[in-house]
Amino acid sequence: MNIVVCLKQVPDATNVRIDPKTNTLIRDGVESIVNPFDEYALEQALLLKDRLGAKVTVISMGPPQAKVVLREALARGADRAFLVSSRAFGGADTLATAYTLSLAIRKSLDSATPDLVLFGKQAIDGDTAQVGPGVSEFLGLNLVTYVREIELKSGVEVEERKFRAITVMDDGEHVVEGELPAVMTVVKEADEPRFASLVGSMNASRAEITVLDEKAFAADPRQIGLDGSPTKVVRIFPPPVKGGGRRLDWNGGASETLSELLKELKS
Amino acid sequence: MIETDILVIGAGPAGLAAAMKLKRGGFKGRVVVLDKAKSAGNHVFSGAVIDPAGFDGLLTESEIAALPCESRVNKESFRFLLGSGASVKIPWVPPMMQAHGYPVGSLSKVVKYLAQLAEADGVEIYHGFAVTELIRENGRVVGARTGEKGVDSQGVHKPNYLAAEEIRAKLVILAEGARGFNTTRLIESQKLASARPQVYALGIREVIELPEPVPGSGGEIMHTFGYPVDMVTYGGGFVYHPNDRQVMVGFAVGLDYKDAALEPHELFRRFKATKVVQRHIRGGKPVAYGAKLIPEGGFYALPRPYADGALIVGDGAGLVDGLRIKGIHLALESGVAAAEAILLGLDGVGERYDEILKRTRGYAEVKRVRNVHGGFSYCAPIGVMMAGFAWSTFGRIPWWPVGRVHADSDTLRAIVNRKSQTVNFPGSPDRLTDVFLSGTVHEENQPCHLKLGDSAKCEECAKKFDSPCTRFCPAEVYRREADGSLRIDFSNCLHCKTCEVKCPMSNLTWTPPQGADGPRYV
Ligand SMILES: Cc1cc2nc3c(=O)[nH]c(=O)nc-3n(C[C@H](O)[C@H](O)[C@H](O)COP(=O)(O)OP(=O)(O)OC[C@H]3O[C@@H](n4cnc5c(N)ncnc54)[C@H](O)[C@@H]3O)c2cc1C
Ligand code: SF4
Ligand code: SF4
């Protein structure tokens, strides 16, 4: 059974600052991390590996530095890693990225169809949540989004191709049943990601990472990179700064504070 | 079990210098460096104005030129502060303090750069692994154990529990910085300490972003002494301009201070509010914060820097020039000395390291200024006089150890009549706001890594000293609840270890929390 997990390297949003003059990210001192949702997707894959002995392949599309996130995934227990990287992919929007990744996924499995492809719910830099669903379209696979738990019967390869997934929706949790192969996007309500062990990190630091460029799979040049991206970013700007709220201090008791608040709201 | 030839604990300047020098000197074996920070440079903290002599014999000319420091010192001054307004400019910068041409910048960035060079040399560096124990066999250090991860606050294993791992080495280099967890324990158990106790200063620093770049300000530095500390407290401030947009403002106070009411962070704010400092930072916005210990015991407090199976380098071995408050070049030099000793073979490596270390320029400096701190133990003027002697006589006079030195935990006087005073510093962050700027993060659901001993001692301390931990901690980790009990917000901790050395009852122990937790200094 083949599970593919797609991981994205993103800037650590906990200390991102916007330059007020140029409206661009201040990259100075900002670390790169694995997109947090993707870590949960990886954990689901590794749990299935623990239970069913699946083979876990991790793929990241990005600049050469993105190898770091692949090594982190290998350190936690992934089996193989591929970096999809080329100048030709630069400027890709979600459509072009989904197209490119779908080719890379097939290539990484020697054209075989994966049983399960996992993504994080969304990437914290763009927040679009479109790449996972896009890949499911390009690969023609079933899609389940916002998954917190995946159940597969053991020995799926032969007899059973069924899955049961619990998804987290606005109106509660849904239980979705369907057939593999499928693409799923995973939320943070899923199992906590595991830590990389020191032994795992040591092995990962020596592991081979295959780099795939547009020549590695026959990509249509009109569907990759900037040319393949119908999205045009007109302008990036931070939302207007909100004025601070007012704090009502607890002086005396609840009724006093409440009446003060009501007075404030009326005026 | 993992095996390596050399294990280095701590990827600060000292540890990285040792690892790199080994590889550059042709060492064929495996060199593994472990660090508890999430990523390179996150747990090192400094001014920093770096004496480039430390890079000699380690980096090439072009590597030194490519250091990630935007400026070199081009303008320096030294001031005595009389109060918040008045100050006297010392007409000449004391020769030992001169730093013309020294790189100015962030130590975290420099360490990140060194880590990249070291990895290219073949050094293996792993971040996010705290070493919680040295493995010893028949007294000899034979390896180390990393901390477990995924344990909840009750000590129960979470589903993502990761067990401790063992790594065996032919030699361990301890490069944990000031008051290192394993270093302190090794010094104690192997009786490596010198006759005089090691004492520390707490250094607190913010980076302030200026509203508009001030062209030409990059490379300017200022040191101060005097206000806001009194004559019997050891302390000094600094203002460094690493570039024309940012200013690094810091204050260090000797933790042998006696006034239990003293709050180092408040001293820092007073220092920032002075007229001289305001001239440098007016209108600026603090964007980064941190605090760390500086070993200040100097020459007479140097421990023996080796034990069977282990060498100690950098701040962990007390190697700081206490007059200039500079330790980076000594960290680098001691790391290089350790590597040179190893390159000659592992037999008798400890003694050989000690010899090579004693021949370094940095060590000679530590010796020369050996009486300055003792002088300050009387009062500031005697300290300054000792600094003068040290320079004019090349450290030959006085030849005896001056002053009396007590462990930092023993210097507080009981509070008789505490006048509570709150001072308002507009635009200057309070401790908790500053904690946010340090970027410190800890998994909340884990055992508290600050171990409190006997709570009865705290009650006694509360009466006598009014719980000084609530004031000396630069991250406001300790608070007294209404019922008198001590609350410990460990997730705010900056790993500075002040609490361990200053608690008057020696009732607190700092232990490494889950690896990768802690400040995110950049
Ligand atoms: C406010 C301030 C200003 C300063 N200004 C200057 C200056 O301008 N110039 C100058 O030369 N010096 C300055 N210093 C001193 C200088 O910062 C130190 O001398 C220097 O950083 C020491 O280097 P080190 O490698 O020994 O230790 P550190 O830099 O402290 O590095 C130790 C490393 O070990 C890691 N570590 C520790 N324990 C463990 C463990 N158990 N497991 C895993 N990893 C561990 C830490 O995470 C850290 O990365 C200043 C210090 C302070 C506090
Ligand atoms: S921890 Fe130490 S300083 Fe704090 S109250 Fe207890 S004894 Fe006093
Ligand atoms: S709790 Fe101790 S080590 Fe942590 S910041 Fe406070 S004084 Fe420093």
Side-chain angles (χ1 to χ4, degrees), chain B residues 377-400:
Chain B
S377 74
Y378 293 114
C379 64
I382 293 187
V384 173
M385 199 168 84
M386 287 301 147
F389 276 153
W391 180 69
S392 57
T393 70
F394 292 97
R396 282 193 276 271
I397 297 172
W399 56 87
W400 66 92

PDB file of all heavy atoms in Angstrom, chain B residues 377-400:
ATOM      1  N   SER B 377      33.907  44.058  44.342  1.00  0.00           N
ATOM      2  CA  SER B 377      33.219  43.493  45.504  1.00  0.00           C
ATOM      3  C   SER B 377      33.324  44.455  46.685  1.00  0.00           C
ATOM      4  O   SER B 377      32.565  44.365  47.631  1.00  0.00           O
ATOM      5  CB  SER B 377      33.759  42.112  45.848  1.00  0.00           C
ATOM      6  OG  SER B 377      35.029  42.204  46.455  1.00  0.00           O
ATOM      7  N   TYR B 378      34.298  45.374  46.668  1.00  0.00           N
ATOM      8  CA  TYR B 378      34.321  46.449  47.668  1.00  0.00           C
ATOM      9  C   TYR B 378      33.367  47.546  47.219  1.00  0.00           C
ATOM     10  O   TYR B 378      32.357  47.817  47.822  1.00  0.00           O
ATOM     11  CB  TYR B 378      35.731  47.010  47.840  1.00  0.00           C
ATOM     12  CG  TYR B 378      36.690  46.029  48.435  1.00  0.00           C
ATOM     13  CD1 TYR B 378      37.767  45.543  47.709  1.00  0.00           C
ATOM     14  CD2 TYR B 378      36.526  45.597  49.757  1.00  0.00           C
ATOM     15  CE1 TYR B 378      38.665  44.655  48.277  1.00  0.00           C
ATOM     16  CE2 TYR B 378      37.419  44.698  50.326  1.00  0.00           C
ATOM     17  CZ  TYR B 378      38.485  44.232  49.581  1.00  0.00           C
ATOM     18  OH  TYR B 378      39.356  43.336  50.126  1.00  0.00           O
ATOM     19  N   CYS B 379      33.704  48.199  46.112  1.00  0.00           N
ATOM     20  CA  CYS B 379      32.833  49.225  45.559  1.00  0.00           C
ATOM     21  C   CYS B 379      33.359  49.606  44.173  1.00  0.00           C
ATOM     22  O   CYS B 379      34.471  49.244  43.807  1.00  0.00           O
ATOM     23  CB  CYS B 379      32.782  50.464  46.457  1.00  0.00           C
ATOM     24  SG  CYS B 379      34.361  51.289  46.589  1.00  0.00           S
ATOM     25  N   ALA B 380      32.542  50.321  43.416  1.00  0.00           N
ATOM     26  CA  ALA B 380      32.896  50.629  42.035  1.00  0.00           C
ATOM     27  C   ALA B 380      34.261  51.318  41.884  1.00  0.00           C
ATOM     28  O   ALA B 380      35.063  50.918  41.043  1.00  0.00           O
ATOM     29  CB  ALA B 380      31.782  51.446  41.389  1.00  0.00           C
ATOM     30  N   PRO B 381      34.574  52.345  42.684  1.00  0.00           N
ATOM     31  CA  PRO B 381      35.874  53.013  42.461  1.00  0.00           C
ATOM     32  C   PRO B 381      37.058  52.069  42.611  1.00  0.00           C
ATOM     33  O   PRO B 381      38.015  52.140  41.839  1.00  0.00           O
ATOM     34  CB  PRO B 381      35.899  54.094  43.538  1.00  0.00           C
ATOM     35  CG  PRO B 381      34.464  54.358  43.862  1.00  0.00           C
ATOM     36  CD  PRO B 381      33.760  53.056  43.694  1.00  0.00           C
ATOM     37  N   ILE B 382      36.986  51.146  43.569  1.00  0.00           N
ATOM     38  CA  ILE B 382      38.117  50.215  43.718  1.00  0.00           C
ATOM     39  C   ILE B 382      38.168  49.281  42.512  1.00  0.00           C
ATOM     40  O   ILE B 382      39.239  48.941  42.007  1.00  0.00           O
ATOM     41  CB  ILE B 382      38.016  49.429  45.054  1.00  0.00           C
ATOM     42  CG1 ILE B 382      38.199  50.427  46.207  1.00  0.00           C
ATOM     43  CG2 ILE B 382      39.074  48.321  45.126  1.00  0.00           C
ATOM     44  CD1 ILE B 382      38.287  49.810  47.586  1.00  0.00           C
ATOM     45  N   GLY B 383      37.009  48.904  42.025  1.00  0.00           N
ATOM     46  CA  GLY B 383      36.959  48.075  40.828  1.00  0.00           C
ATOM     47  C   GLY B 383      37.611  48.784  39.657  1.00  0.00           C
ATOM     48  O   GLY B 383      38.438  48.218  38.938  1.00  0.00           O
ATOM     49  N   VAL B 384      37.255  50.056  39.478  1.00  0.00           N
ATOM     50  CA  VAL B 384      37.820  50.820  38.371  1.00  0.00           C
ATOM     51  C   VAL B 384      39.332  50.947  38.549  1.00  0.00           C
ATOM     52  O   VAL B 384      40.118  50.826  37.601  1.00  0.00           O
ATOM     53  CB  VAL B 384      37.153  52.215  38.286  1.00  0.00           C
ATOM     54  CG1 VAL B 384      37.849  53.083  37.257  1.00  0.00           C
ATOM     55  CG2 VAL B 384      35.672  52.059  37.948  1.00  0.00           C
ATOM     56  N   MET B 385      39.762  51.135  39.825  1.00  0.00           N
ATOM     57  CA  MET B 385      41.187  51.254  40.111  1.00  0.00           C
ATOM     58  C   MET B 385      41.902  49.960  39.717  1.00  0.00           C
ATOM     59  O   MET B 385      42.966  49.982  39.110  1.00  0.00           O
ATOM     60  CB  MET B 385      41.347  51.488  41.613  1.00  0.00           C
ATOM     61  CG  MET B 385      42.666  52.074  42.015  1.00  0.00           C
ATOM     62  SD  MET B 385      42.533  52.586  43.739  1.00  0.00           S
ATOM     63  CE  MET B 385      42.876  51.064  44.580  1.00  0.00           C
ATOM     64  N   MET B 386      41.261  48.827  40.042  1.00  0.00           N
ATOM     65  CA  MET B 386      41.858  47.535  39.706  1.00  0.00           C
ATOM     66  C   MET B 386      41.980  47.386  38.188  1.00  0.00           C
ATOM     67  O   MET B 386      42.961  46.852  37.688  1.00  0.00           O
ATOM     68  CB  MET B 386      40.994  46.394  40.256  1.00  0.00           C
ATOM     69  CG  MET B 386      41.090  46.234  41.750  1.00  0.00           C
ATOM     70  SD  MET B 386      42.784  45.922  42.263  1.00  0.00           S
ATOM     71  CE  MET B 386      42.778  46.736  43.841  1.00  0.00           C
ATOM     72  N   ALA B 387      40.965  47.879  37.485  1.00  0.00           N
ATOM     73  CA  ALA B 387      41.015  47.811  36.027  1.00  0.00           C
ATOM     74  C   ALA B 387      42.207  48.626  35.532  1.00  0.00           C
ATOM     75  O   ALA B 387      42.936  48.212  34.632  1.00  0.00           O
ATOM     76  CB  ALA B 387      39.712  48.335  35.434  1.00  0.00           C
ATOM     77  N   GLY B 388      42.424  49.781  36.155  1.00  0.00           N
ATOM     78  CA  GLY B 388      43.551  50.636  35.774  1.00  0.00           C
ATOM     79  C   GLY B 388      44.872  49.932  36.026  1.00  0.00           C
ATOM     80  O   GLY B 388      45.749  49.892  35.166  1.00  0.00           O
ATOM     81  N   PHE B 389      44.997  49.336  37.213  1.00  0.00           N
ATOM     82  CA  PHE B 389      46.221  48.583  37.537  1.00  0.00           C
ATOM     83  C   PHE B 389      46.445  47.471  36.532  1.00  0.00           C
ATOM     84  O   PHE B 389      47.546  47.249  36.050  1.00  0.00           O
ATOM     85  CB  PHE B 389      46.087  47.926  38.917  1.00  0.00           C
ATOM     86  CG  PHE B 389      46.426  48.837  40.064  1.00  0.00           C
ATOM     87  CD1 PHE B 389      45.837  48.626  41.310  1.00  0.00           C
ATOM     88  CD2 PHE B 389      47.314  49.887  39.916  1.00  0.00           C
ATOM     89  CE1 PHE B 389      46.130  49.443  42.380  1.00  0.00           C
ATOM     90  CE2 PHE B 389      47.609  50.709  40.981  1.00  0.00           C
ATOM     91  CZ  PHE B 389      47.016  50.499  42.223  1.00  0.00           C
ATOM     92  N   ALA B 390      45.363  46.745  36.266  1.00  0.00           N
ATOM     93  CA  ALA B 390      45.474  45.581  35.392  1.00  0.00           C
ATOM     94  C   ALA B 390      46.063  46.002  34.060  1.00  0.00           C
ATOM     95  O   ALA B 390      46.909  45.332  33.489  1.00  0.00           O
ATOM     96  CB  ALA B 390      44.099  44.939  35.183  1.00  0.00           C
ATOM     97  N   TRP B 391      45.638  47.182  33.609  1.00  0.00           N
ATOM     98  CA  TRP B 391      46.124  47.609  32.311  1.00  0.00           C
ATOM     99  C   TRP B 391      47.554  48.125  32.393  1.00  0.00           C
ATOM    100  O   TRP B 391      48.431  47.704  31.660  1.00  0.00           O
ATOM    101  CB  TRP B 391      45.208  48.691  31.743  1.00  0.00           C
ATOM    102  CG  TRP B 391      45.720  49.115  30.419  1.00  0.00           C
ATOM    103  CD1 TRP B 391      45.729  48.371  29.281  1.00  0.00           C
ATOM    104  CD2 TRP B 391      46.371  50.332  30.112  1.00  0.00           C
ATOM    105  NE1 TRP B 391      46.333  49.048  28.276  1.00  0.00           N
ATOM    106  CE2 TRP B 391      46.740  50.280  28.755  1.00  0.00           C
ATOM    107  CE3 TRP B 391      46.675  51.492  30.849  1.00  0.00           C
ATOM    108  CZ2 TRP B 391      47.405  51.327  28.122  1.00  0.00           C
ATOM    109  CZ3 TRP B 391      47.324  52.529  30.212  1.00  0.00           C
ATOM    110  CH2 TRP B 391      47.679  52.443  28.859  1.00  0.00           C
ATOM    111  N   SER B 392      47.800  49.015  33.381  1.00  0.00           N
ATOM    112  CA  SER B 392      49.095  49.687  33.388  1.00  0.00           C
ATOM    113  C   SER B 392      50.228  48.742  33.782  1.00  0.00           C
ATOM    114  O   SER B 392      51.364  48.927  33.387  1.00  0.00           O
ATOM    115  CB  SER B 392      49.050  50.901  34.316  1.00  0.00           C
ATOM    116  OG  SER B 392      48.676  50.477  35.602  1.00  0.00           O
ATOM    117  N   THR B 393      49.927  47.716  34.559  1.00  0.00           N
ATOM    118  CA  THR B 393      51.005  46.812  34.976  1.00  0.00           C
ATOM    119  C   THR B 393      50.907  45.464  34.266  1.00  0.00           C
ATOM    120  O   THR B 393      51.525  44.502  34.683  1.00  0.00           O
ATOM    121  CB  THR B 393      50.945  46.555  36.502  1.00  0.00           C
ATOM    122  OG1 THR B 393      49.792  45.749  36.770  1.00  0.00           O
ATOM    123  CG2 THR B 393      50.863  47.843  37.293  1.00  0.00           C
ATOM    124  N   PHE B 394      50.147  45.415  33.191  1.00  0.00           N
ATOM    125  CA  PHE B 394      49.926  44.165  32.458  1.00  0.00           C
ATOM    126  C   PHE B 394      49.450  43.070  33.390  1.00  0.00           C
ATOM    127  O   PHE B 394      49.792  41.907  33.236  1.00  0.00           O
ATOM    128  CB  PHE B 394      51.190  43.721  31.715  1.00  0.00           C
ATOM    129  CG  PHE B 394      51.539  44.654  30.598  1.00  0.00           C
ATOM    130  CD1 PHE B 394      52.488  45.649  30.789  1.00  0.00           C
ATOM    131  CD2 PHE B 394      50.888  44.574  29.375  1.00  0.00           C
ATOM    132  CE1 PHE B 394      52.785  46.541  29.771  1.00  0.00           C
ATOM    133  CE2 PHE B 394      51.184  45.469  28.362  1.00  0.00           C
ATOM    134  CZ  PHE B 394      52.129  46.459  28.559  1.00  0.00           C
ATOM    135  N   GLY B 395      48.682  43.469  34.397  1.00  0.00           N
ATOM    136  CA  GLY B 395      48.099  42.481  35.284  1.00  0.00           C
ATOM    137  C   GLY B 395      49.054  41.963  36.339  1.00  0.00           C
ATOM    138  O   GLY B 395      48.747  41.017  37.045  1.00  0.00           O
ATOM    139  N   ARG B 396      50.245  42.600  36.443  1.00  0.00           N
ATOM    140  CA  ARG B 396      51.197  42.071  37.427  1.00  0.00           C
ATOM    141  C   ARG B 396      50.850  42.522  38.852  1.00  0.00           C
ATOM    142  O   ARG B 396      51.163  41.839  39.818  1.00  0.00           O
ATOM    143  CB  ARG B 396      52.615  42.477  37.061  1.00  0.00           C
ATOM    144  CG  ARG B 396      53.177  41.604  35.935  1.00  0.00           C
ATOM    145  CD  ARG B 396      54.655  41.776  35.762  1.00  0.00           C
ATOM    146  NE  ARG B 396      54.951  42.938  34.927  1.00  0.00           N
ATOM    147  CZ  ARG B 396      55.051  42.869  33.602  1.00  0.00           C
ATOM    148  NH1 ARG B 396      54.881  41.739  32.964  1.00  0.00           N
ATOM    149  NH2 ARG B 396      55.329  43.963  32.909  1.00  0.00           N
ATOM    150  N   ILE B 397      50.238  43.693  38.965  1.00  0.00           N
ATOM    151  CA  ILE B 397      49.903  44.213  40.288  1.00  0.00           C
ATOM    152  C   ILE B 397      48.395  44.454  40.351  1.00  0.00           C
ATOM    153  O   ILE B 397      47.841  44.997  39.389  1.00  0.00           O
ATOM    154  CB  ILE B 397      50.647  45.546  40.544  1.00  0.00           C
ATOM    155  CG1 ILE B 397      52.160  45.290  40.528  1.00  0.00           C
ATOM    156  CG2 ILE B 397      50.216  46.157  41.881  1.00  0.00           C
ATOM    157  CD1 ILE B 397      52.991  46.549  40.587  1.00  0.00           C
ATOM    158  N   PRO B 398      47.722  44.139  41.389  1.00  0.00           N
ATOM    159  CA  PRO B 398      48.197  43.322  42.511  1.00  0.00           C
ATOM    160  C   PRO B 398      48.254  41.840  42.128  1.00  0.00           C
ATOM    161  O   PRO B 398      47.445  41.381  41.346  1.00  0.00           O
ATOM    162  CB  PRO B 398      47.142  43.566  43.582  1.00  0.00           C
ATOM    163  CG  PRO B 398      45.913  43.953  42.823  1.00  0.00           C
ATOM    164  CD  PRO B 398      46.342  44.565  41.544  1.00  0.00           C
ATOM    165  N   TRP B 399      49.207  41.150  42.681  1.00  0.00           N
ATOM    166  CA  TRP B 399      49.380  39.752  42.285  1.00  0.00           C
ATOM    167  C   TRP B 399      48.538  38.808  43.143  1.00  0.00           C
ATOM    168  O   TRP B 399      48.400  37.655  42.840  1.00  0.00           O
ATOM    169  CB  TRP B 399      50.870  39.354  42.367  1.00  0.00           C
ATOM    170  CG  TRP B 399      51.461  39.581  43.728  1.00  0.00           C
ATOM    171  CD1 TRP B 399      51.455  38.730  44.770  1.00  0.00           C
ATOM    172  CD2 TRP B 399      52.101  40.774  44.167  1.00  0.00           C
ATOM    173  NE1 TRP B 399      52.050  39.310  45.854  1.00  0.00           N
ATOM    174  CE2 TRP B 399      52.476  40.556  45.512  1.00  0.00           C
ATOM    175  CE3 TRP B 399      52.424  41.999  43.555  1.00  0.00           C
ATOM    176  CZ2 TRP B 399      53.131  41.538  46.265  1.00  0.00           C
ATOM    177  CZ3 TRP B 399      53.089  42.953  44.305  1.00  0.00           C
ATOM    178  CH2 TRP B 399      53.426  42.728  45.641  1.00  0.00           C
ATOM    179  N   TRP B 400      47.996  39.353  44.238  1.00  0.00           N
ATOM    180  CA  TRP B 400      47.189  38.479  45.110  1.00  0.00           C
ATOM    181  C   TRP B 400      45.709  38.657  44.752  1.00  0.00           C
ATOM    182  O   TRP B 400      45.332  39.672  44.165  1.00  0.00           O
ATOM    183  CB  TRP B 400      47.452  38.841  46.566  1.00  0.00           C
ATOM    184  CG  TRP B 400      46.963  40.231  46.907  1.00  0.00           C
ATOM    185  CD1 TRP B 400      45.736  40.568  47.400  1.00  0.00           C
ATOM    186  CD2 TRP B 400      47.664  41.464  46.739  1.00  0.00           C
ATOM    187  NE1 TRP B 400      45.632  41.923  47.554  1.00  0.00           N
ATOM    188  CE2 TRP B 400      46.809  42.513  47.148  1.00  0.00           C
ATOM    189  CE3 TRP B 400      48.954  41.808  46.268  1.00  0.00           C
ATOM    190  CZ2 TRP B 400      47.173  43.848  47.110  1.00  0.00           C
ATOM    191  CZ3 TRP B 400      49.312  43.149  46.244  1.00  0.00           C
ATOM    192  CH2 TRP B 400      48.437  44.146  46.661  1.00  0.00           C
TER     193      TRP B 400
END
